[in-house]
Amino acid sequence: MDYNIGIKFEPVHVFMSSLHSYICRKSHKKIDLAPSWAQETKEKLTPDFAQTLDDMLVNGDWNYAYLMAYFAPEGIGVEGFLTWFEQLSVHEMIELFVASGNELPEEEIGVFKKRMLSVLRQWNEQYFKNVDPGILSALEQEKQERIQRLTEIHGEEFVDETTNGMLFKSLPGFKELLLVPQYHFQPLNIVTKYGNRIICHYNARIYLGDDSLIPSHDLRLLRSLGEKNRLKILRFLHQGPCTFTEIVSHLKLSKGITHDHISKLRSAGVLYAHFEGENLTEYSLRKRALGQLQERLFRYIEAE
């Protein structure tokens, strides 16, 4: 493996991923927080701001905004990040973008900055300031545990364990994989390529619900296996990695239905998702997750 692995987490990262989770409307039915979270959050927003977010897309501008969170000095918090962002000059922003292999025309930077600062400040005031502090504590703990784990295992094994089944191929010019734990978008992941760096907001599998209930990530694993076509996919992948098109052909189902089955298996961690840059190219069977199923089930049943 020819790239470095880094672990990073600052409050600004969960701040940004929470907003990403809200504006990524197509994913509301797939995330653990469920559509009710988006609706409850919307009810707390002013009508004008809610409409602004309804009109936003996860596009190039949003990717530039996401990138700013990784340029910011560490330890300054969300308020500090917003102040730092506001004080950046156009020239400084151009330099930051170029350094990451991205370019935004100079004449567009002022408009982008004004628009995004307004959105980010309102999101902080109307949502993030009241977020459960347990989320930040759990993500910080996850970061520390991953840093320690990185001293014990390395390379693909570490990436696999951390991300629950994501593998990134070494490519020319790919120098760093930055892994950032996230909560709001669970069980999905956010993968973005910036120059020679890939930033992966991975599903940290954090459960803050009722202790008497099985954690959502364990329940997801159990549910993922209770469907004949998903089991058929696992059996097919036992022969080796396959593309999405090959799986569709094998199942003889529509692309939409096949994609839904694969998404549920991926979320459960029973598939490897193979990436080249930020592009997912093929899938393979992740046997270790199946081997852990009995252990997880008994851990829940035998808990006192």
Side-chain angles (χ1 to χ4, degrees):
M1 196 172 74
D2 298 327
Y3 56 86
N4 297 320
I5 299 171
I7 302 292
K8 191 177 181 70
F9 173 72
E10 294 283 332
V12 68
H13 299 145
V14 68
F15 168 71
M16 295 297 288
S17 65
S18 66
L19 180 51
H20 176 101
S21 302
Y22 183 86
I23 65 177
C24 194
R25 291 174 289 279
K26 292 182 179 180
S27 298
H28 287 171
K29 292 182 179 180
K30 301 177 183 179
I31 61 177
D32 287 347
L33 291 178
S36 59
W37 168 78
Q39 184 57 42
E40 291 166 3
T41 298
K42 187 171 186 176
E43 292 170 359
K44 298 174 184 177
L45 308 177
T46 63
D48 286 348
F49 184 48
Q51 185 59 55
T52 296
L53 296 185
D54 283 346
D55 294 337
M56 282 189 69
L57 300 173
V58 179
N59 57 12
D61 273 7
W62 178 244
N63 287 338
Y64 283 116
Y66 233 126
L67 183 58
M68 300 307 299
Y70 297 92
F71 288 137
E74 295 184 2
I76 61 175
V78 173
E79 294 284 355
F81 163 72
L82 294 172
T83 299
W84 170 82
F85 188 10
E86 183 177 30
Q87 293 175 348
L88 283 176
S89 68
V90 169
H91 179 69
E92 288 172 326
M93 290 182 67
I94 290 174
E95 288 187 335
L96 290 175
F97 287 141
V98 170
S100 65
N102 296 267
E103 292 185 22
L104 189 64
E106 183 173 345
E107 62 272 15
E108 296 181 15
I109 288 182
V111 176
F112 160 78
K113 179 180 176 181
K114 182 179 180 180
R115 180 172 61 249
M116 290 311 307
L117 266 174
S118 174
V119 168
L120 296 177
R121 288 196 181 281
Q122 289 182 83
W123 183 251
N124 188 40
E125 290 295 328
Q126 299 183 37
Y127 174 77
F128 194 74
K129 277 188 173 181
N130 299 313
V131 77
D132 181 357
I135 295 173
L136 279 77
S137 298
L139 289 167
E140 176 63 28
Q141 181 178 344
E142 165 69 12
K143 180 188 79 171
Q144 297 301 331
E145 290 176 355
R146 289 290 95 200
I147 290 173
Q148 173 58 39
R149 188 64 171 147
L150 191 53
T151 67
E152 301 165 354
I153 60 174
H154 307 284
E156 284 192 347
E157 182 182 1
F158 175 81
V159 175
D160 168 28
E161 180 182 284
T162 300
T163 64
N164 209 32
M166 300 176 74
L167 299 176
F168 293 84
K169 184 177 180 179
S170 295
L171 295 171
F174 174 23
K175 294 184 179 180
E176 182 181 26
L177 173 63
L178 189 60
L179 298 172
V180 184
Q182 61 86 10
Y183 171 82
H184 284 79
F185 212 48
Q186 297 182 128
L188 308 178
N189 307 288
I190 306 167
V191 180
T192 312
K193 184 177 184 295
Y194 297 108
N196 58 19
R197 169 189 285 181
I198 292 175
I199 299 176
C200 173
H201 286 72
Y202 68 90
N203 165 23
R205 304 183 294 287
I206 291 171
Y207 177 70
L208 300 176
D210 187 341
D211 288 341
S212 67
L213 301 176
I214 189 169
S216 53
H217 45 275
D218 291 343
L219 180 60
R220 187 178 303 111
L221 175 57
L222 290 167
R223 283 179 169 175
S224 72
L225 302 177
E227 207 282 333
K228 61 182 181 181
N229 286 301
R230 293 178 209 153
L231 293 175
K232 191 175 180 180
I233 290 172
L234 299 183
R235 186 173 183 176
F236 181 56
L237 291 179
H238 179 66
Q239 67 186 17
C242 294
T243 65
F244 175 73
T245 301
E246 290 170 332
I247 297 172
V248 170
S249 178
H250 178 70
L251 287 184
K252 295 180 174 56
L253 297 174
S254 71
K255 291 181 179 180
I257 292 175
T258 303
H259 183 270
D260 184 63
H261 286 317
I262 290 175
S263 294
K264 286 182 169 57
L265 292 171
R266 273 197 65 197
S267 297
V270 295
L271 297 185
Y272 285 117
H274 299 257
F275 283 82
E276 292 187 11
E278 58 187 335
N279 299 314
L280 202 168
T281 57
E282 58 187 8
Y283 304 92
S284 60
L285 179 62
R286 189 168 180 256
K287 293 182 181 179
R288 64 182 295 175
L290 298 174
Q292 294 168 351
L293 177 59
Q294 179 174 302
E295 176 189 348
R296 292 184 179 186
L297 183 58
F298 279 121
R299 185 169 57 202
Y300 168 71
I301 292 173
E302 297 172 352
E304 296 181 1

